[in-house]
Amino acid sequence: MHNLTILPIRRLTLVFALCIFLAGALTSHARDIIVDDDCNLRDAIEAANENNEDGGCSAGGGPSDTIKLTRNVRQWGPLPEIESDILIIGNGHRVTFSDYTAFVVDDASLILANLHIRFDSVRTERLLEISDGKLTLDNTVFHDCTGVMRAEDSGIELRNNSVVCGHPQHVIKGWFGVYAPPLPPPPTCEALTGATVTLRPGSAAECQNVDAVGLGNQSLVDAGFIDAVDIWSFLGPGVDICFPQIGSLVFLDAATSPRAQSALQSYSSGGMTCAFVDRPGTVVLMPGQPSGATAPAAVERPAPATVSDPAVEGCPIRTTGHIYFRAEPSLDAERLDIVLRGSTVGAISRIWGWYQINFRGRTGWIGRKYVDNIGNC
């Protein structure tokens, strides 16, 4: 009788152990889904949502899959709703939409990292919808837009150099019901420690010192960078920067993600290392010697052009924001009118950071910051 009692218990124990083993074997694991020539972004999201192969995309594993872009993506129609936790790593590539809401997230988490979101025309309507979820933007930029995001019972996290249509971060967080007071004005170039930045007439650049963390380039940190300054906003005709030490200069271009690194033409002046900068980015002082003994000709302030430039004459350009139409190529010049966002006009000539155009029977200037070229001009 004793043996008859023990045997069923042993069998139940074996069955229970087998069930635990099978449950562990069937547990799903997150997987990488690669967007390439065989797998498009639409199918990749479906594969992650459903944990099944879709089109040329491998199956997701859940509960949090990673979609990796290996190329730029042209998205003609709306994407599927995101219904599972997904991380999309752009690797610096862009996703261009025709005229649709970029992403719709339903009861899930979406992380966009190292990605550029663009639109064929200026997107003034909703950019993204998220309900009962969370959005994280990590070094991700939304271009060609003035629209907003719609969020219900959701949260947002903004990391690194993420930008949404140029909206301040406190405005973006406000869409998600997160109160954040407006950020203080950015430090001016006069507030720099060590380096000095001189703005040329017509430039409205902002500057700040950058430490090893803010530099974000481990190779330069390991090589023993001496100092670094980040320069952004409207550079117009450019700025001159000088460090109070002798060394070589490296430029990290803000137009790329991650920032492209290149040597910056530099010269020695009174024991300082100086250079001319005409676009946003980070200027890094490294050990070494300036590349030139004297100031290069490019640093000499050019006189404004007064004749048409054949390279741009007649080229159509389109405004990406409401922009003042001025009598002269200067922020201090008289405002003649306002050219509305999305207007297409013909260029007459170009100098520094300005285009000369004819608008409503008048000839004047608009800044290049909010202008896109059209075609191959």
Side-chain angles (χ1 to χ4, degrees):
M1 180 65 68
H2 179 73
N3 291 337
L4 291 175
T5 303
I6 295 297
L7 187 58
I9 294 176
R10 288 177 176 173
R11 286 177 178 171
L12 288 172
T13 301
L14 290 173
V15 170
F16 183 71
L18 180 60
C19 289
I20 293 177
F21 172 80
L22 290 175
L26 294 174
T27 299
S28 59
H29 297 281
R31 296 190 176 99
D32 290 348
I33 304 172
I34 309 301
V35 174
D36 52 21
D37 292 339
D38 298 320
C39 171
N40 61 49
L41 183 57
R42 166 184 285 278
D43 291 343
I45 292 175
E46 291 286 17
N49 281 339
E50 302 172 1
N51 293 335
N52 290 318
E53 292 184 7
D54 198 292
C57 304
S58 58
S64 180
D65 295 310
T66 298
I67 296 174
K68 296 182 178 179
L69 271 58
T70 61
R71 58 178 175 83
N72 294 328
V73 172
R74 184 68 176 79
Q75 188 63 39
W76 293 103
L79 291 170
E81 288 190 10
I82 292 177
E83 300 170 345
S84 65
D85 295 347
I86 295 177
L87 162 62
I88 300 179
I89 300 178
N91 293 310
H93 296 292
R94 65 178 180 270
V95 180
T96 302
F97 293 88
S98 179
D99 190 22
Y100 296 94
T101 299
F103 298 98
V104 177
V105 184
D106 184 13
D107 194 19
S109 170
L110 174 63
I111 302 175
L112 303 177
N114 297 321
L115 184 64
H116 291 266
I117 306 296
R118 306 202 71 107
F119 298 90
D120 280 344
S121 58
V122 177
R123 175 78 179 174
T124 59
E125 300 180 28
R126 196 169 300 155
L127 305 169
L128 182 146
E129 294 184 24
I130 179 168
S131 177
D132 296 319
K134 181 178 180 181
L135 174 68
T136 301
L137 302 181
D138 188 351
N139 201 30
T140 291
V141 180
F142 282 72
H143 305 266
D144 316 313
C145 54
T146 60
V148 301
M149 296 180 180
R150 178 181 177 184
E152 296 180 0
D153 300 321
S154 301
I156 188 170
E157 183 176 354
L158 303 174
R159 303 175 184 168
N160 296 318
N161 299 316
S162 295
V163 179
V164 179
C165 312
H167 295 295
Q169 287 200 4
H170 75 277
V171 171
I172 301 170
K173 291 181 178 180
W175 302 336
F176 291 77
V178 180
Y179 172 73
L183 296 176
T188 63
C189 296
E190 288 80 4
L192 289 175
T193 301
T196 59
V197 171
T198 304
L199 278 60
R200 297 191 175 191
S203 174
E206 298 288 350
C207 316
Q208 68 179 3
N209 294 100
V210 178
D211 60 14
V213 175
L215 187 58
N217 187 307
Q218 192 60 44
S219 64
L220 295 180
V221 174
D222 293 342
F225 87 101
I226 302 170
D227 198 0
V229 172
D230 199 25
I231 304 175
W232 72 97
S233 194
F234 180 67
L235 268 67
V239 302
D240 299 294
I241 181 170
C242 289
F243 292 90
Q245 303 102 328
I246 294 298
S248 62
L249 295 182
V250 171
F251 186 71
L252 302 178
D253 196 333
T256 62
S257 179
R259 297 191 172 192
Q261 175 180 325
S262 62
L264 184 61
Q265 178 73 21
S266 57
Y267 61 96
S268 176
S269 175
M272 299 184 295
T273 303
C274 303
F276 168 73
V277 180
D278 62 355
R279 60 192 185 279
T282 305
V283 182
V284 187
L285 179 66
M286 302 295 297
Q289 293 294 321
S291 55
T294 59
V299 177
E300 298 297 330
R301 296 186 180 183
T306 58
V307 297
S308 298
D309 181 353
V312 298
E313 184 175 6
C315 286
I317 54 178
R318 181 176 60 204
T319 57
T320 60
H322 303 318
I323 186 169
Y324 286 117
F325 178 54
R326 298 182 183 271
E328 301 292 339
S330 170
L331 295 177
D332 298 324
E334 177 189 0
R335 299 171 181 173
L336 303 177
D337 206 331
I338 295 178
V339 183
L340 298 180
R341 179 182 60 247
S343 300
T344 299
V345 295
I348 298 175
S349 65
R350 173 180 60 189
I351 61 171
W352 298 340
W354 299 84
Y355 277 110
Q356 186 181 37
I357 65 170
N358 187 284
F359 184 66
R360 293 179 178 172
R362 289 182 171 183
T363 299
W365 301 84
I366 57 175
R368 291 182 60 189
K369 182 178 180 181
Y370 296 108
V371 170
D372 278 342
N373 291 330
I374 300 176
N376 298 320
C377 295

